[in-house]
Amino acid sequence: MSAQTQTPGRVRRRALGDFAKGGVPIVGLTAYTAPIARLIDPHVDFVLVGDSLGMVVYGFDSTLPVTLEMMVAHGAAVVRATRQALVVVDLPFGAYQEGPQQAFRNAARVMAETGCAAVKLEGGREMAETVRFLTRRGVPVMGHIGLMPQSLHAAGGFRVQGRGHDAAAELTADATAIAEAGAFAIVIEGTLEPVARAITEQVPVPTIGIGASPACDGQILVIDDLLGVFTEFTPRFVKRYAELAPLISAAAEGYAAEVRARRFPGKEHCFGAG
Ligand code: KIV
C-alpha cells in the first residue's frame, strides 16, 4: 500500500534549524493515534511518534518490547491525521543497533510505509557511523542522547545523566559526533540543566529538551503526561496542562450508572423508536 506523503504545507526539517538560529523555540509533542495527532497538529512544529508508545499505549514497563510493526502502524496513523507538523518516527530497540545496513533497511521501511519525514534513534558516538550512513542515503535523522530509555538496563535504570565532569564531557562528545554525522536535531533527555545548556551552545544543530534545559532550542513532552491521563506518578520534568484522568473516570462512571439504571440509551439515541 502506498504511504501518504508529506504535503507541501508541512514544517520542513530545515525550518527547525532556522527557528533555532532565529531564537524561536521549537515545539514538539508525541502522538500515537490519529485523533490526538489531528488535535495537536496546528499547535506544534513537529510530532514525534515515540517508542514511548510501548509504555503509554501498550502498558509495557519499558520501551524495549516495541516492534517495528507497532511503529509503522502508529506512524502511518499520525501522518494521515496531520497536515502541517513535521512527523518523526522512532526506530525501536533492536531495529538499528546491529549496524548501518540494518538501520537503513528498517528506516527506509518506516519512511515508505508511514510517509514520515524523519526517524529518531538513540545513541551518541557509537551511533555516529549509522547516522552518517542513513543521512547520506536520504534518511533524515533526529538524534537522542542523555537518558536513553532503550539502554535502560545497560544504564542501571532511568537516571539523570551528566553528573560529573567526565559524564558531561562524554555527553558533549556524543552530541557533537551525531551532529557532525548529519543529525538535523538532537533530543536531550533527562540531563543536568547546565550540561544540556552547554551542549546547546556547542552543537551546530537544534537541541530538543525533555527534562533537560530551558536553554535548549526546543522542548518536547509526552502527550499523555501533558494531558494528565496518568495519575500514578508525575516526573519532575513534566508540567500537566490538563487533568484528563478524573474526567475520563467520571465519564465512565456516569455511563455505567445510566446503563445500570436503564437511563441510557434514551429514545433520542435509538432508531425508529416511538
Ligand atoms: O519515545 C519518546 O516519546 C521519546 C521522547 C521522550 C523524546 O523519545
Side-chain angles (χ1 to χ4, degrees):
M1 194 174 66
S2 82
Q4 178 177 335
T5 52
Q6 301 271 304
T7 60
R10 285 191 193 263
V11 173
R12 303 272 161 178
R13 245 180 320 120
R14 271 198 208 99
L16 300 190
D18 294 341
F19 292 169
K21 279 188 203 119
V24 179
I26 299 164
V27 182
L29 271 177
T30 70
Y32 318 104
T33 62
I36 295 289
R38 195 170 294 120
L39 288 172
I40 67 172
D41 181 43
H43 307 292
V44 300
D45 301 313
F46 76 97
V47 175
L48 171 68
V49 186
D51 64 350
S52 51
L53 68 79
M55 302 171 80
V56 174
V57 177
Y58 288 91
F60 296 129
D61 285 344
S62 76
T63 58
L64 300 183
V66 173
T67 64
L68 200 65
E69 285 66 31
M70 289 175 187
M71 297 312 303
V72 166
H74 290 269
V78 167
V79 171
R80 277 195 295 273
T82 49
R83 290 286 168 270
Q84 75 88 30
L86 181 89
V87 178
V88 181
V89 177
D90 258 343
L91 293 181
F93 179 63
Y96 61 95
Q97 288 89 346
E98 230 171 274
Q101 268 88 1
Q102 183 214 22
F104 181 80
R105 207 166 42 249
N106 289 327
R109 180 174 165 206
V110 166
M111 291 187 74
E113 294 185 21
T114 68
C116 72
V119 299
K120 177 166 80 60
L121 55 82
E122 296 180 10
R125 284 158 291 173
E126 74 286 4
M127 279 300 149
E129 187 196 344
T130 295
V131 172
R132 186 168 290 107
F133 192 90
L134 294 182
T135 53
R136 289 200 175 157
R137 287 162 180 77
V139 179
V141 176
M142 178 178 274
H144 183 152
I145 62 161
L147 192 160
M148 296 183 287
Q150 292 180 13
S151 303
L152 165 72
H153 297 301
F158 292 110
R159 289 170 201 277
V160 174
Q161 302 294 303
R163 289 192 196 284
H165 182 265
D166 288 355
E170 283 185 12
L171 277 179
T172 306
D174 285 339
T176 305
I178 53 173
E180 279 173 359
F184 70 90
I186 301 173
V187 169
I188 306 179
E189 179 170 357
T191 296
L192 288 185
E193 197 280 333
V195 178
R197 182 180 289 270
I199 292 171
T200 300
E201 280 162 13
Q202 284 178 44
V203 294
V205 298
T207 60
I208 311 292
I210 174 165
S213 169
C216 288
D217 297 300
Q219 303 292 329
I220 185 163
L221 279 179
V222 167
I223 185 71
D224 291 56
D225 287 341
L226 166 143
L227 294 178
V229 177
F230 298 116
T231 47
E232 299 79 21
F233 167 66
T234 307
R236 180 190 170 101
F237 60 84
V238 169
K239 179 169 175 184
R240 290 191 186 182
Y241 288 82
E243 294 290 346
L244 292 197
L247 296 180
I248 294 170
S249 180
E253 189 182 15
Y255 163 73
E258 292 205 349
V259 169
R260 290 187 182 117
R262 296 202 180 279
R263 286 203 301 274
F264 179 83
K267 280 198 178 145
E268 67 276 26
H269 304 116
C270 298
F271 300 100

